[in-house]
Amino acid sequence: MRTWFNTQSDVMRASFFALFAAILAACFTLTIRYATEELHPYQAVFLRFAFGLILILPMVMKRGIGSLATKRLPLFGLRGVLSAAEMCLWFMAVLYLPLAEATTLNFTVPLFGTILAAVILREQVRIHRWLAIVIGFVGVALIIQPGTDTMQAASILPIAAAICMASAGLITKRLVATESTTSLLFYLMIITTPVSLIPALFVWQTPSWSALGLMAVAALMMNVMQVCNVKALQLADYSFFVGFSYLRLPIIAVLALMLFGEVPDIWILPGGAMIIGAAIYVALREGKLNSEARRIER
């Protein structure tokens, strides 16, 4: 099987890894919904990172402690705090919102990433990307319908999670230039585990074996998903890869309907289309500009 897979084209192999990553992301969300029916989201976040740390230790031992040498611990620390906050917000969104709505609103990550890059890093953002961002937020307004009786306070949770994720992403972009994959994963887990333990202690209840099993599986799925994303990006351009990440929305919508009887709101369709379209445009435009910048440097 492996021999056959290795004989396939780069595009075919990249498609497999990207599609599998999207499926894992959807399954991770569903697993968290089941786990948070028993566990408080703060406790579930801690267990996710704790199991993730346990799973990453064999890789660190194989590579050696020397592979963790870094001079950028403050950036790692800030990234860890933002990641822990993002995960807490996301787990609460998964618990309190319909899964399709939470997932769609979380797709605003590239939109916030562009805004933060313009404000904090002083990156130049031209009119086309600003228009895409405006369209994306019109889609957000269609879904949450601010100022109406249908708006839920919990709708802010996936958006706040997206802001934290976008902020952590900006830091990751700076770290990948000098740090190894092992360092990026290890320091994320070693920082987020104690950070997420602090709020978890205030709501701690002894988890059942089934809940522990669910969180161990969730941590494994996230680790494998990260590996699949890296493999896909090694085989294909980001412009090819980015569309696959949004496939988790129809997967989640179908599974949420089958497992929880959740029928997506009618406004998810136009609002989600605007958010996803804007996010894909922003991501593709950023990828094109980065490619042009590298070509000019060469």
Side-chain angles (χ1 to χ4, degrees):
M1 186 68 177
R2 177 179 294 182
T3 302
W4 173 84
F5 183 75
N6 290 334
T7 60
Q8 302 304 303
S9 66
D10 287 351
V11 170
M12 284 296 296
R13 287 185 290 157
S15 299
F16 169 81
F17 284 121
L19 178 60
F20 193 51
I23 294 172
L24 286 173
C27 293
F28 172 80
T29 300
L30 291 165
T31 303
I32 295 306
R33 165 62 72 84
Y34 277 116
T36 51
E37 288 179 354
E38 174 186 335
L39 299 171
H40 190 283
Y42 293 165
Q43 190 174 355
V45 170
F46 164 72
L47 291 173
R48 178 265 177 273
F49 287 126
F51 280 119
L53 177 60
I54 294 171
L55 292 171
I56 200 67
L57 286 178
M59 182 187 297
V60 174
M61 295 174 65
K62 182 179 179 181
R63 298 293 179 88
I65 300 298
S67 64
L68 302 177
T70 182
K71 297 180 180 179
R72 312 186 77 178
L73 278 178
L75 276 181
F76 275 115
L78 179 58
R79 173 174 172 256
V81 171
L82 288 169
S83 297
E86 174 262 318
M87 197 65 70
C88 286
L89 291 164
W90 175 240
F91 280 23
M92 287 191 288
V94 168
L95 176 62
Y96 296 125
L97 284 175
L99 294 180
E101 179 179 341
T103 302
T104 304
L105 293 175
N106 196 240
F107 285 153
T108 54
V109 172
L111 309 183
F112 286 114
T114 301
I115 294 172
L116 292 171
V119 174
I120 297 176
L121 302 182
R122 303 296 181 183
E123 290 185 5
Q124 186 176 23
V125 178
R126 299 188 183 279
I127 185 64
H128 293 93
R129 277 199 286 173
W130 283 121
L131 286 174
I133 290 170
V134 171
I135 291 172
F137 284 119
V138 170
V140 171
L142 283 177
I143 294 173
I144 65 175
Q145 300 182 40
T148 66
D149 294 336
T150 58
M151 180 181 176
Q152 301 183 64
S155 297
I156 303 300
L157 294 171
I159 298 174
I163 295 174
C164 291
M165 189 183 297
S167 302
L170 290 181
I171 297 174
T172 302
K173 286 183 180 180
R174 303 189 67 175
L175 289 173
V176 294
T178 59
E179 309 302 320
S180 67
T181 302
T182 303
S183 294
L184 289 168
L185 291 174
F186 175 76
Y187 283 115
L188 176 65
M189 299 303 168
I190 201 69
I191 292 170
T192 51
T193 299
V195 168
S196 60
L197 176 61
I198 296 172
L201 289 175
F202 291 96
V203 295
W204 190 269
Q205 293 182 351
T206 302
S208 66
W209 286 109
S210 61
L212 288 173
L214 284 173
M215 294 313 305
V217 170
L220 178 61
M221 286 192 292
M222 283 299 288
N223 283 16
V224 175
M225 185 195 74
Q226 290 170 345
V227 172
C228 288
N229 285 337
V230 171
K231 293 287 187 182
L233 290 171
Q234 288 173 341
L235 294 167
D237 293 336
Y238 183 71
S239 58
F240 174 84
F241 166 81
V242 67
F244 283 89
S245 63
Y246 295 103
L247 289 176
R248 71 182 188 270
L249 176 57
I251 297 172
I252 285 176
V254 171
L255 292 177
L257 176 61
M258 294 172 58
L259 298 174
F260 305 111
E262 293 183 359
V263 179
D265 187 87
I266 188 63
W267 292 107
I268 289 288
L269 294 176
M274 297 174 76
I275 294 171
I276 293 174
I280 290 177
Y281 179 84
V282 166
L284 294 180
R285 185 62 181 167
E286 182 178 346
K288 182 179 180 181
L289 293 175
N290 290 337
S291 298
E292 291 177 353
R294 288 194 295 269
R295 180 175 55 81
I296 292 172
E297 288 178 359
R298 289 196 299 266

